[in-house]
Amino acid sequence: MALVLRWLRPLPSLLHRSPFLVSRGLPGAPQGCPALLLEGCRQCVHQVLLSRQLATKKAKGKGQSQAKVNISAALVDDIINLEETNEDMQAVIEALKEDFSRNISVRTSPGALDHITVLTKDGKFPLNQLGQISQKSPQLIIVNMTNFPESTAAAMKAIRESGMNLNPDVDGTMIRVPVPKVTREHRESLAKLAKQSTNKSKEALRKVRSKSISQVKKFKSKVSEDTIWLLEKQIQQMADEAAAEMDKLLAAKTKELLG
């Protein structure tokens, strides 16, 4: 045993001087990069460590958590703006929140009608730009179309097709919008509407993800496969987190509507 240990002792210094190891770059290191096994640039070492972190997932059993990617946006800014991608995804979430607040509520308020889009011969306009909206009583909302009487029929159609379970009627240029009673059927209808709205938002989220991944793939011939793979994982991870946030919003809204 002592003889074996004496023979192995000089191996570290021999390995350090080995021309094979000194000249071998890190996997995925760009051409000319001084990322050597013993002296690596921070960027390439960072990429390799991330690759190894993700690779450990394959060795884990079922049911164990997946390692997360966390790429510094500054390192890949010349490939894609990850902060901008995140902002686009957050904008989709905020739009869903606003839709839930404005359009999917047990109690219909005048403000819920403001941004109903009316298609006229001159283009599309929010309802509150064409008519004056007010609440005459807890059970009745009035839309005064005196300023744009020619758009009264289009406004009626837009209100009826808004998905808010509204059934307006008209008296000249005055549109009367009865506020639906809060029945179980109405609550269930709103819950279905919330689900549909969430699905539409997830579709918008998928478009943001696909656009970002397509941007990354444009650099396949310029950067390493590891870098492309890590970026795709990062974008997918961001999208998954945004979708999970949407699911939480839907669950909370459904509980609010159905009790």
Side-chain angles (χ1 to χ4, degrees), residues 11-241:
L11 272 181
S13 59
L14 289 173
L15 287 172
H16 189 278
R17 293 194 297 270
S18 169
F20 170 73
L21 289 177
V22 173
S23 62
R24 182 183 174 189
L26 286 170
Q31 186 175 4
C33 176
L36 309 180
L37 282 177
L38 301 176
E39 299 179 29
C41 71
R42 284 188 303 169
Q43 179 176 350
C44 293
V45 170
H46 181 66
Q47 290 179 0
V48 172
L49 288 176
L50 283 173
S51 297
R52 289 175 179 173
Q53 182 185 27
L54 286 170
T56 59
K57 175 180 178 266
K58 298 178 181 179
K60 291 184 177 181
K62 291 184 178 180
Q64 298 202 14
S65 59
Q66 179 179 354
K68 288 189 176 182
V69 185
N70 188 17
I71 302 175
S72 171
L75 291 178
V76 294
D77 194 48
D78 55 339
I79 300 174
I80 187 171
N81 190 329
L82 287 176
E83 292 180 357
E84 185 177 301
T85 298
N86 184 59
E87 288 173 1
D88 289 344
M89 291 183 178
Q90 291 303 312
V92 177
I93 294 175
E94 291 303 317
L96 179 62
K97 288 180 181 178
E98 184 175 355
D99 186 38
F100 279 179
S101 176
R102 287 184 178 275
N103 303 324
I104 306 177
S105 176
V106 173
R107 297 289 182 183
T108 303
S109 65
L113 274 61
D114 285 352
H115 297 281
I116 290 178
T117 302
V118 182
L119 179 60
T120 73
K121 63 180 181 180
D122 297 317
K124 295 180 180 180
F125 299 93
L127 180 60
N128 64 351
Q129 289 187 11
L130 301 174
Q132 297 176 344
I133 306 172
S134 61
Q135 187 151 9
K136 188 172 182 180
S137 73
Q139 290 77 38
L140 183 65
I141 295 174
I142 298 294
V143 183
N144 187 341
M145 297 294 295
T146 302
N147 293 334
F148 295 93
E150 69 280 5
S151 300
T152 301
M156 281 273 293
K157 185 175 185 291
I159 294 170
R160 188 175 289 113
E161 297 177 355
S162 65
M164 296 172 64
N165 193 34
L166 301 175
N167 188 27
D169 59 67
V170 66
D171 181 11
T173 58
M174 306 293 286
I175 300 176
R176 298 162 56 87
V177 186
V179 177
K181 291 182 179 180
V182 185
T183 62
R184 183 67 184 181
E185 182 182 0
H186 180 51
R187 289 176 180 272
E188 290 175 352
S189 176
L190 289 174
K192 289 180 181 178
L193 188 62
K195 177 67 173 177
Q196 292 171 5
S197 184
T198 303
N199 288 338
K200 288 180 182 178
S201 294
K202 285 185 176 181
E203 179 60 33
L205 179 66
R206 284 191 287 271
K207 288 181 180 179
V208 174
R209 180 202 61 192
S210 297
K211 179 181 177 182
S212 299
I213 289 178
S214 295
Q215 172 67 20
V216 168
K217 287 182 176 179
K218 291 179 182 178
F219 288 81
K220 273 192 171 182
S221 61
K222 299 180 182 179
V223 298
S224 69
E225 290 183 6
D226 282 346
T227 301
I228 297 296
W229 184 71
L230 285 168
L231 281 171
E232 289 179 354
K233 288 289 183 183
Q234 174 82 40
I235 294 166
Q236 182 62 54
Q237 179 178 295
M238 292 162 64
D240 289 344
E241 291 172 353

